[in-house]
Amino acid sequence: MAASSSDMVLRSTRPQVFINFRGEELRRGFISFLEPTLKNENINVFIDELELRGRDLQNLFVRIKESKIALVIFSKDYANSEWCLDELAKIKECMDQGNLDVIPIFYKVEPSVVKYLLGYFGENFMNLKNRYENDPERTRKWEEALASVSQKFGLPFPEKSDRTDREFINSIVVEVKRVLEHIGGKEDKRGHAKVIQRQQQEETHQGCMFNARELKISGSHNARYWTFVSISESPNDEVAFEVAKMQRNYYLEVSGFCQTEILTTGKKYEVVFVVKVEDTMSRWDVPAKVQLMVPYSNELQERELQFVDLIRNEWVDIQAGVFV
């Protein structure tokens, strides 16, 4: 018996990029430009073309699990949709397992609005949460996913931006290609350990942690250029972190190294710089280069970024690379 066209599914063997977005709001506008631009760059993209009420959500969960990258596009009406939030919860689950790289996109909505459920965005979420008050486990996963994904290094596109949608989409393509290059067909699964600025270098459940003074920072000996200040993660947190704060500089280099014998053999670690760009920063036109060298493999992992593209007044992770 000949198979019907609906029985045959041909899927690309290239790493898949899953796009999570509010269809009613973005499908005929932003997404109609983003999807073909990604495909023109030979990127294997999956979006839910139908978004039919009552369609089996498990099918989409399978496609999320099959993907290597998820683009989560937060927009003003995103929190109106239980469909988007169910997908987001699944995306967070795969991200926490180390099977999925997530790139949050803040399309005409501030990252802090998503993270702290503020304003119109927050009102929409609370209204939806109240509708599902009999399913607290589901709404808890939504809330945790919003908080977790929104604090990752993402790409913001403010309501009043100097860039066009086309220019912003090009920056998304660059970031997706960078992540795909890193994946490189290696079936890479990212770990959860971070190199962050802490009190001492020690192995913890998070990995190898650094005091800011242990890093080599160009000009840090001169108080005109850098100062060291202590901060806490929350007002009631007794543990303070010492961070280096740039006052002024014309050249930036921050480097450090980790004694890998204190790490767990066979475990995968992610190395990140934790950075906050404040509103007072003057324009920095030269791209920054982030690198990780793993000596025993002679592998140099490298990426470029623009400080002006970072979310303002929020601590964000800038990935240098991953290693085992």
Side-chain angles (χ1 to χ4, degrees):
M1 178 182 294
S4 68
S5 59
S6 60
D7 293 328
M8 301 180 65
V9 180
L10 300 178
R11 294 181 181 173
S12 172
T13 58
R14 290 175 285 127
Q16 180 171 277
V17 178
F18 185 96
I19 303 181
N20 165 252
F21 66 100
R22 181 71 168 113
E24 291 181 9
E25 184 181 11
L26 301 180
R27 185 180 304 280
R28 295 183 180 180
F30 185 73
I31 294 298
S32 69
F33 295 108
L34 175 63
E35 182 191 8
T37 303
L38 289 167
K39 289 182 175 179
N40 287 341
E41 294 293 329
N42 201 31
I43 295 172
N44 180 22
V45 180
F46 176 83
I47 68 170
D48 176 19
E49 294 281 1
L50 300 177
E51 199 174 26
L52 295 176
R53 182 175 300 178
R55 185 180 173 188
D56 186 3
L57 190 62
Q58 295 302 318
N59 291 337
L60 291 180
F61 286 172
V62 170
R63 300 311 296 265
I64 292 171
K65 290 178 68 175
E66 292 173 348
S67 301
K68 292 301 180 185
I69 298 174
L71 290 180
V72 177
I73 305 178
F74 294 116
S75 55
K76 290 181 180 179
D77 289 326
Y78 182 94
N80 268 338
S81 170
E82 61 267 39
W83 197 270
C84 287
L85 292 167
D86 283 335
E87 288 182 357
L88 184 68
K90 186 64 177 181
I91 286 169
K92 177 184 180 296
E93 177 187 317
C94 294
M95 179 184 76
D96 289 345
Q97 293 170 351
N99 298 328
L100 187 66
D101 283 286
V102 181
I103 304 173
I105 309 297
F106 301 95
Y107 185 73
K108 298 183 178 181
V109 63
E110 293 296 324
S112 59
V113 167
V114 178
K115 182 176 180 181
Y116 299 113
L117 298 175
L118 303 176
Y120 177 77
F121 188 96
E123 290 175 6
N124 284 337
F125 178 79
M126 294 309 298
N127 290 336
L128 191 63
K129 183 178 180 180
N130 290 335
R131 283 169 47 197
Y132 288 88
E133 61 181 352
N134 295 326
D135 195 354
E137 179 66 15
R138 186 180 184 187
T139 59
R140 180 188 63 79
K141 289 181 178 180
W142 292 350
E143 202 157 357
E144 290 179 352
L146 284 167
S148 177
V149 173
S150 65
Q151 69 183 4
K152 293 185 66 64
F153 173 72
L155 300 175
F157 187 65
E159 183 80 48
K160 297 179 180 179
S161 176
D162 295 333
R163 292 191 291 176
T164 65
D165 277 22
R166 181 70 66 183
E167 291 170 335
F168 181 56
I169 285 172
N170 288 338
S171 69
I172 294 174
V173 173
V174 169
E175 181 65 11
V176 171
K177 291 174 73 173
R178 181 195 69 79
V179 177
L180 286 172
E181 286 174 5
H182 174 71
I183 293 172
K186 298 178 182 179
E187 295 296 322
D188 188 18
K189 295 184 179 179
R190 293 171 57 186
H192 305 294
K194 299 180 180 180
V195 176
I196 61 179
Q197 297 164 341
R198 300 271 183 179
Q199 288 296 324
Q200 57 186 354
Q201 189 178 136
E202 59 180 341
E203 165 71 355
T204 73
H205 69 283
Q206 285 188 301
C208 182
M209 303 180 181
F210 286 86
N211 184 303
R213 292 187 187 273
E214 294 181 297
L215 301 173
K216 180 182 177 183
I217 303 174
S218 58
S220 61
H221 61 283
N222 192 328
R224 292 177 55 202
Y225 301 137
W226 291 87
T227 58
F228 289 86
V229 297
S230 294
I231 64 170
S232 298
E233 289 187 336
S234 65
N236 298 323
D237 195 349
E238 296 180 356
V239 179
F241 302 91
E242 189 175 45
V243 301
K245 184 174 182 178
M246 181 192 291
Q247 304 299 319
R248 55 183 294 182
N249 219 336
Y250 300 99
Y251 175 74
L252 175 65
E253 182 175 1
V254 181
S255 61
F257 69 93
C258 177
Q259 299 289 349
T260 55
E261 61 264 25
I262 72 172
L263 303 178
T264 303
T265 302
K267 184 176 180 180
K268 185 152 289 186
Y269 290 91
E270 176 186 29
V271 180
V272 303
F273 289 93
V274 183
V275 176
K276 179 194 284 187
V277 175
E278 297 184 339
D279 284 333
T280 53
M281 187 196 79
S282 58
R283 186 166 182 83
W284 192 309
D285 294 319
V286 179
K289 184 176 293 185
V290 187
Q291 297 177 330
L292 172 66
M293 170 62 78
V294 184
Y296 54 82
S297 67
N298 292 320
E299 177 188 6
L300 176 65
Q301 300 176 40
E302 181 177 282
R303 62 166 296 194
E304 286 190 352
L305 67 118
Q306 290 280 2
F307 284 117
V308 295
D309 290 334
L310 297 183
I311 301 166
R312 297 299 178 100
N313 302 313
E314 294 277 346
W315 290 103
V316 296
D317 295 349
I318 299 177
Q319 187 191 77
V322 295
F323 69 98
V324 176

